[in-house]
Amino acid sequence: MLIENALATYYGDIQHALRDLFATTPETTPNTGGDFTPGTELPHLSVAMRDFLAPSGLAHAPMGHYAGKQLALLDLTRNPATGTTKTYPSLVIVARAIRFIQDTGQRVTIVTPSSANKAIALRDAVLRAITCGLVGADQLNVITVVPAASVPKLRSSELFTDPALRARNPIAVHHGPTPGAVKTIARALVDDHRTPIEQATKTNLWYTLQLENYLAADTVRALAEHQHFPPAPDRPRLHVHAVSSAYGLLGHAYGRTLLDPTARAATPEPHYLLVQHLGAPDMVLSLYHHGVVDPAHAPAYTRDPATGLYTQHT
């Protein structure tokens, strides 16, 4: 089963989700202090917008049985320019910036820390907004901060090869011993230097690493599942994700709340399994230590020389 342009297919639902998610979050307008956001509204779904959203293909394929369980793959990485599920929220984030720019004529500069995938997807979305003619290169740009170990993951595009676009869309590389410090660096840039940067460059700095910015697009997982490949009424589905963050899982869970109550009641509540790398297990540490993310709390793994496997029993 393939949905060629999932974001365009569920565009109205995503717009509803954005309004709902930010209903209790005050919108900050330029020059009023605090964090800037471009608002919740998406542009009109024109031909150019459909082209912009085109990489959001979604595929669902059965993978046979194992131990009596039916396996299936949900592929949200069909954008060849990114190869990451972050394509979905990045396109929606940039779409909101497009609408703000079209409505106000003001500039927007997206600022985000990333281990790689968010940076790749946001840079691709910004480039698509420009090449699709939705905004000018001087109206929208993105600044990303990544750890040095992530540099080999990054992808080249016109934002790198074109000198003018490269200058406006820099990648800052953090060579410090703590990769997660990129979040602190990017946040400090916005908090400590917002006013002089915005005044000097006539732009609005948007720090996008906020959960709600990602949930709206990831509702597509639940909406497509309900319409095209629902679980059996008598058997819960286990969603397994190997990710640096659990935004996709949270987006799926939130998406189910948008379904008609009768439709939602027709299928059992889902189960989730989150697999994280020990280099950045923020979600797991936060879950088991009541919101405190401290690498010291990570369980100790011991290598068994006989098997080559790592185990932990603490």
Side-chain angles (χ1 to χ4, degrees):
M1 192 283 299
L2 173 65
I3 300 176
E4 290 286 359
N5 190 334
L7 290 181
T9 300
Y10 297 103
Y11 202 65
D13 298 285
I14 295 168
Q15 178 65 86
H16 170 75
L18 284 168
R19 292 168 180 165
D20 178 64
L21 285 164
F22 288 96
T24 57
T25 303
E27 291 292 339
T28 302
T29 55
N31 306 316
T32 61
D35 270 352
F36 163 83
T37 79
T40 60
E41 297 306 294
L42 297 174
H44 171 67
L45 191 56
S46 62
V47 173
M49 271 303 297
R50 288 184 178 275
D51 186 33
F52 168 74
L53 300 170
S56 64
L58 178 153
H60 178 266
M63 297 176 63
H65 289 78
Y66 176 77
K69 308 295 183 183
Q70 172 67 50
L71 305 181
L73 174 69
L74 179 61
D75 184 7
L76 301 168
T77 64
R78 299 180 63 82
N79 180 4
T82 67
T84 170
T85 62
K86 294 296 191 296
T87 288
Y88 278 68
S90 295
L91 289 171
V92 173
I93 286 170
V94 171
R96 291 166 59 197
I98 291 170
R99 174 64 183 266
F100 175 83
I101 293 167
Q102 291 176 343
D103 285 352
T104 68
Q106 298 182 35
R107 295 171 173 170
V108 174
T109 296
I110 293 171
V111 180
T112 188
S114 173
S115 60
N117 285 339
K118 279 190 285 290
I120 292 168
L122 276 169
R123 284 171 61 83
D124 178 66
V126 167
L127 180 59
R128 291 192 64 82
I130 296 168
T131 57
C132 290
L134 294 164
V135 293
D138 63 336
Q139 294 178 301
L140 176 66
N141 65 316
V142 58
I143 299 171
T144 56
V145 186
V146 301
S150 295
V151 171
K153 301 179 186 178
L154 300 177
R155 298 189 177 207
S156 181
S157 72
E158 290 178 58
L159 292 195
F160 185 81
T161 59
D162 181 283
L165 291 177
R166 177 171 175 165
R168 289 189 53 80
N169 299 274
I171 301 173
V173 180
H174 172 55
H175 291 272
T178 307
V182 295
K183 295 179 182 178
T184 304
I185 294 169
R187 183 71 255 186
L189 167 69
V190 175
D191 290 344
D192 299 341
H193 305 286
R194 173 193 297 277
T195 299
I197 291 175
E198 290 186 338
Q199 289 178 350
T201 60
K202 301 298 188 292
T203 192
N204 298 286
L205 293 186
W206 184 18
Y207 184 79
T208 58
L209 195 62
Q210 179 181 353
L211 179 61
E212 288 81 3
N213 290 337
Y214 288 82
L215 291 184
D218 283 327
T219 61
V220 168
R221 301 170 185 237
L223 299 173
E225 176 189 41
H226 169 70
Q227 184 175 4
H228 296 287
F229 44 93
D234 59 345
R235 175 174 285 189
R237 176 170 287 160
L238 175 65
H239 295 254
V240 183
H241 293 242
V243 290
S244 60
S245 67
Y247 287 178
L249 297 174
L250 297 172
H252 178 271
Y254 169 67
R256 280 184 54 84
T257 69
L258 303 180
L259 300 176
D260 176 86
T262 302
R264 179 178 175 180
T267 56
E269 290 295 321
H271 296 177
Y272 299 110
L273 172 62
L274 172 65
V275 182
Q276 290 203 287
H277 192 288
L278 278 175
D282 292 6
M283 298 299 296
V284 172
L285 293 178
S286 177
L287 174 65
Y288 285 100
H289 293 279
H290 309 288
V292 177
V293 178
D294 185 347
H297 292 158
Y301 282 76
T302 304
R303 185 178 185 275
D304 182 346
T307 64
L309 301 178
Y310 286 82
T311 61
Q312 68 90 10
H313 304 283
T314 59

